Amino acid sequence: MPEPSLAPPLHPYYPIEAQIVGYLANEWNTLELCSMFAAGCAAIFSVTYAVVKRVRPSTSASDLITILWFVLCGCIHLFFEGYFAYNFRRMGGMQDLFGQLWKEYSLSDSRYLTQDAFVLCMETITAAFWGPLSFVTAAFITIDHPLRHAFQIVVSLGQLYGDVLYYATCMFDHYILDLSYSRPEAAYFWGYFVFMNSFWIVIPLYLLCSSAGATWRAFEALDKADKILKGKAGAVNGSAKKRL
Amino acid sequence: MPEPSLAPPLHPYYPIEAQIVGYLANEWNTLELCSMFAAGCAAIFSVTYAVVKRVRPSTSASDLITILWFVLCGCIHLFFEGYFAYNFRRMGGMQDLFGQLWKEYSLSDSRYLTQDAFVLCMETITAAFWGPLSFVTAAFITIDHPLRHAFQIVVSLGQLYGDVLYYATCMFDHYILDLSYSRPEAAYFWGYFVFMNSFWIVIPLYLLCSSAGATWRAFEALDKADKILKGKAGAVNGSAKKRL
């Protein structure tokens, strides 16, 4: 009988000694799962595009792209990450589409299968807050609501901070504790963990700066209008004084 | 010789089996440390109050209180939390004022002495970003800069999200893993962990809503001004058309 430490791992995840409750191997392969995920994103984009073009045909291209982004985020945060937050105790054995997608992604980060405190808390907040608020932001952009930029700043910073912490806690465990959660193949670490999550660094950072710039210009314009009005009032007072 | 598990713990922190590298007991007691912390806060408030009253005597009471808050946050984030982020590997043996203050606070959360990945990452981001940005926000409020509200939203949400995750990861370990980081005396858990951190839930939430409201009113005022100008332009066009 082999030593327990020499026995082959019962799952494909790293670290190989990770405890994954009730693990069942995926039935769909990587290509099938990635294709289904891409098809889901394409469907979300198509429906959103059609709705926005109907509700407000005059929407600018940049606003339209931002709406598509926030609707995609809303769906991913609320449904996909919400699925994880709801099922976190039994992720290893989930065999429906979302379950298999999470098990595929977890090849790059096994914390999704091992009930990690930070990942669960961050994902729960993302699902409960940034998910619904992403839809609200998309709606606010569509109707050009005055709260649009405040919401865009809040949701984008929430995504950005969560993602930075997500990378940082993993890097800490990698460099300080010498503990890696990704399989050694470069495609998993660089393709899933780094590349997929980098969207939620780059795009929120751009949208955050863009909305901060818009509020800057808005308050500057109001200041100018205020000074012009005060100047006019001053001139009226001045000419009234001259008449007296 | 007693069993290792029955030996008294070498430190006063929970869980009692926590490994604290190079632990040295504090030389100042709780009252002395709390008094010095309170004196530090009072000094920060006094200097800030004097500077603001000199730079802009017309500052409103609510703006003045907000400036005091952000300067206090800037000092705590940058210097006190920055001290932790810089010294996280050797916190157990630090005997200067900040070191002893952290060891006193850690009675309610030993993760500060055990190189916890989430606590270190969150504190490093807080020190590196919310610290300097708190000072910038305080300065922007003092000079009534048009970016004031955007910065207030960013810093407040950063503090709020960090604090919610801080509470949540601790609650997860407490309820799911049955692992408590606080000493059992109520004063530590409720006084230090819950009460002291609750300031960074309540105040940022209020300031976030307040600044979101201000940007709402700003964009609404600009929309109205835009419509009035368009209306006037329309009326001018209309009367011009009549003359033709």
Side-chain angles (χ1 to χ4, degrees), chain A residues 14-157:
Chain A
Y14 273 67
I16 50 173
E17 62 275 14
Q19 294 286 325
I20 297 172
V21 182
Y23 173 69
L24 291 174
N26 272 352
E27 286 155 5
W28 286 306
N29 65 33
T30 299
L31 185 66
E32 287 166 340
L33 285 167
C34 289
S35 305
M36 282 187 270
F37 186 76
C41 295
I44 291 164
F45 282 150
S46 308
V47 172
T48 309
Y49 182 87
V51 170
V52 173
K53 279 285 168 192
R54 199 182 174 90
V55 172
R56 192 154 160 260
S58 63
T59 306
S60 70
S62 79
D63 275 0
L64 183 59
I65 293 169
T66 315
I67 293 165
L68 291 175
W69 165 252
F70 277 113
V71 172
L72 179 70
C73 287
C75 292
I76 291 178
H77 294 336
L78 189 59
F79 302 118
F80 190 55
E81 294 173 86
Y83 173 97
F84 164 74
Y86 185 73
N87 294 302
F88 79 97
R89 284 173 189 269
R90 49 181 179 276
M91 288 301 290
M94 302 302 283
Q95 288 298 65
D96 50 27
L97 174 60
F98 279 6
Q100 293 198 39
L101 277 171
W102 273 120
K103 281 190 285 175
E104 176 68 23
Y105 174 77
S106 299
L107 293 167
S108 78
D109 185 355
S110 66
R111 293 182 293 176
Y112 282 89
L113 305 180
T114 56
Q115 309 182 18
D116 179 89
F118 163 71
V119 168
L120 175 71
C121 294
M122 183 273 289
E123 289 293 1
T124 304
I125 292 168
T126 301
F129 292 94
W130 315 143
L133 289 181
S134 289
F135 289 121
V136 175
T137 308
F140 278 178
I141 299 171
T142 310
I143 62 170
D144 204 17
H145 192 279
L147 265 177
R148 171 234 161 119
H149 290 293
F151 270 62
Q152 189 166 307
I153 291 175
V154 166
V155 176
S156 298
L157 184 70

Side-chain angles (χ1 to χ4, degrees), chain A residues 89 117 120 154 157-158 161 172, chain B residues 115 117 120 154 157-158 161 172 176:
Chain A
R89 284 173 189 269
L120 175 71
V154 166
L157 184 70
Y161 192 8
F172 176 93
Chain B
Q115 308 183 17
L120 174 71
V154 166
L157 184 70
Y161 192 9
F172 176 93
I176 309 282

